[in-house]
Amino acid sequence: MSSDHETILQLTDDKIPLGDLVERVSYASCGAVATFSGTTRDNFGGKEVVELFYEAYDEMALKEMAKIAAAVRAKWEDVRGIVIVHRKGLVPVKEASVVIVVSSPHRGASMDAVKFIINTLKETVPIWKKEIYSSGLPSWKQNAEFLTSDVMTSRQNTQRSNWGLCVAAAGVALALVYSSRNE
């Protein structure tokens, strides 16, 4: 790729430097740099949220993020720069959990690509979120998009079902081993 085409895909435990990332994919050939910064809000469902905690299956998450970037380049050929960075670990209120930056010669491609990226990321990338409330009780959350995704293929649904069966089978196997050892 030419020097004005960069793709940055990261999972990080650190604060996401939005300004630095915008600078990395801002090119003289681009008249548009669209950004999305998803931040921790202080409430959910009437409960006070004090922070979020994210876990990811890093290797698979980065592969899925690469697929999203490739899909963007195929759909919007004039996109120059793509940034997808997601936090892991604790993310306090007002800090970014995810940052997406897309540059292109004109605003339409950048803005459409940003929306596509965040929606597809929530649908396909294995990142899990736990909300931690002021009451001290946490709650793991699953993206509604992940469960009802229109982009899910039957193969992905089968893989998800098989994964669920593997987890269930592993739990049964552990229970059997534990039971037999304690007899």
Side-chain angles (χ1 to χ4, degrees):
M1 269 187 209
S2 68
S3 62
D4 71 343
H5 285 71
E6 185 168 8
T7 301
I8 301 167
L9 309 171
Q10 294 177 351
L11 297 170
T12 183
D13 294 317
D14 301 320
K15 247 181 159 173
I16 303 173
L18 177 61
D20 294 344
L21 295 169
V22 168
E23 183 65 30
R24 294 244 335 245
V25 296
S26 294
Y27 307 110
S29 64
C30 294
V33 178
T35 65
F36 173 80
S37 179
T39 60
T40 301
R41 64 178 174 269
D42 68 358
N43 66 85
F44 181 83
K47 298 176 189 170
E48 182 183 358
V49 175
V50 293
E51 60 193 358
L52 300 178
F53 180 83
Y54 287 92
E55 286 186 4
Y57 178 1
D58 292 16
E59 184 179 341
M60 184 180 281
L62 290 168
K63 284 180 182 178
E64 289 299 319
M65 291 163 75
K67 287 180 190 176
I68 295 169
V72 166
R73 293 209 183 277
K75 191 168 183 161
W76 294 280
E77 293 179 5
D78 61 341
V79 163
R80 299 294 192 271
I82 299 172
V83 174
I84 307 171
V85 178
H86 205 294
R87 286 277 294 269
K88 295 187 319 178
L90 290 175
V91 183
V93 170
K94 298 191 326 184
E95 284 191 18
S97 299
V98 60
V99 166
I100 297 165
V101 184
V102 178
S103 60
S104 64
H106 304 285
R107 71 179 176 270
S110 290
M111 293 172 75
D112 291 345
V114 165
K115 184 176 180 180
F116 172 83
I117 291 168
I118 189 60
N119 289 341
T120 308
L121 181 128
K122 287 179 158 280
E123 293 167 354
T124 64
V125 179
I127 297 173
W128 301 278
K129 172 174 75 174
K130 179 169 54 173
E131 291 182 345
I132 302 167
Y133 306 112
S134 60
S135 67
L137 296 175
S139 176
W140 285 100
K141 298 294 183 181
Q142 188 164 22
N143 287 323
E145 298 91 343
F146 189 76
L147 296 174
T148 61
S149 168
D150 289 338
V151 300
M152 291 295 293
T153 64
S154 61
R155 179 171 177 240
Q156 288 170 314
N157 282 323
T158 300
Q159 288 171 335
R160 184 174 296 147
S161 295
N162 290 344
W163 175 251
L165 291 173
C166 289
V167 170
V172 169
L174 287 172
L176 290 173
V177 168
Y178 179 77
S179 174
S180 68
R181 286 186 177 174
N182 291 321
E183 289 180 353

